[in-house]
Amino acid sequence: GNSVTQMEGPVTLSEEAFLTINCTYTATGYPSLFWYVQYPGEGLQLLLKATKADDKGSNKGFEATYRKETTSFHLEKGSVQVSDSAVYFCALTGAGGGNKLTFGTGTQLKVEL
Amino acid sequence: GAGVSQSPSNKVTEKGKDVELRCDPISGHTALYWYRQSLGQGLEFLIYFQGNSAPDKSGLPSDRFSAERTGGSVSTLTIQRTQQEDSAVYLCASSLQAGVAYNEQFFGPGTRLTVL
C-alpha cells in the first residue's frame, strides 16, 4: 500500500536558518504529493503540492520538488521565521481511491529568535 | 466564505456510550472525507463520500464506526460503544470532487473526542 516517511521532529532552528524536512514515499503509479501545515491551535492547511514528476510546488517561501527517481518530496525554506513554527505533514494521494490522503507522521518545527 | 465546520468542537464521553460527530462541508463540494488524528497513529483516513455514496470505507477501524451523508451535504460519523482508544481528533475535509488530484481538500477544525 501507500506510505509516507518523514523525518522525526521536533526540529529547532534559529530565525533565518535554512530548513529541510525530508519526505520519502512508497506508492504504486504516479501519486500527487502535498505538504500540509498545522499552526498551533489551527486546522490543517495545504502549503504546497506537486502532481507530476519534476514539478516544484512553492508557497510562502517554501518549496518542494517531486523527485520520482528518489521517491522524495523534501520541504525547504531558505530563511525561516518564528511564524513558521508549526507541524508539517507530508502526504500523497495515490491512483484511484478518490484522492484519500496518506500522511506522514508530521514534523514539529520550532523557530527561535 | 464559510469553510468546513465541525461540531461539537470538544466531546467528552464515558466508555460504552455512543457519540455522533457532525461535518458541514463547503457549499458545492461533492467530496467529503473523514480522518482521525491520534498520538499513537498519526493522521489516518477513515472514509470518503462522493455525493451520498461512500466508495471507500477501508479506514474505519471497526464495525462500531459508521458514517452517512445526506443531501450531498452534511455528514455524521457515529461511534458506538466508545472505547478509550477512540480518543482522538476527528477531522473532516471537503473538496470539489473526488478523483481529481488537484482538487484541494479543505479541512475543518476537528472534533476532539475524549473517552473516559
Side-chain angles (χ1 to χ4, degrees), chain A residues 50-88:
Chain A
T51 58
K52 61 183 188 295
D54 299 325
D55 267 3
K56 177 185 284 187
S58 60
N59 186 24
K60 299 182 181 180
F62 291 89
E63 293 182 338
T65 300
Y66 188 147
R67 300 287 189 201
K68 187 164 177 60
E69 63 276 13
T70 54
T71 61
S72 64
F73 193 55
H74 304 322
L75 183 68
E76 296 182 336
K77 186 174 185 182
S79 176
V80 294
Q81 306 299 311
V82 172
S83 57
D84 294 326
S85 298
V87 181
Y88 293 82

Side-chain angles (χ1 to χ4, degrees), chain A:
Chain A
N2 297 333
S3 67
V4 176
T5 302
Q6 61 181 105
M7 64 187 284
E8 295 284 331
V11 174
T12 302
L13 295 174
S14 299
E15 201 170 42
E16 298 184 1
F18 184 85
L19 168 72
T20 300
I21 301 178
N22 290 337
C23 171
T24 57
Y25 67 89
T26 301
T28 54
Y30 299 91
S32 295
L33 303 173
F34 306 85
W35 277 99
Y36 278 82
V37 59
Q38 191 170 34
Y39 296 104
E42 298 185 16
L44 271 172
Q45 303 173 28
L46 178 65
L47 179 61
L48 55 83
K49 66 186 178 190
T51 58
K52 61 183 188 295
D54 299 325
D55 267 3
K56 177 185 284 187
S58 60
N59 186 24
K60 299 182 181 180
F62 291 89
E63 293 182 338
T65 300
Y66 188 147
R67 300 287 189 201
K68 187 164 177 60
E69 63 276 13
T70 54
T71 61
S72 64
F73 193 55
H74 304 322
L75 183 68
E76 296 182 336
K77 186 174 185 182
S79 176
V80 294
Q81 306 299 311
V82 172
S83 57
D84 294 326
S85 298
V87 181
Y88 293 82
F89 294 90
C90 186
L92 66 80
T93 56
N99 287 330
K100 62 184 179 185
L101 287 159
T102 299
F103 288 92
T105 52
T107 302
Q108 183 173 7
L109 171 66
K110 182 178 180 182
V111 181
E112 300 174 331
L113 290 171

Side-chain angles (χ1 to χ4, degrees), chain B residues 1-6 23-27 29 92-94 106-109:
Chain B
V4 177
S5 61
Q6 294 185 245
C23 172
D24 281 272
I26 293 171
S27 177
H29 281 192
C92 176
S94 71
F106 294 84
F107 282 80

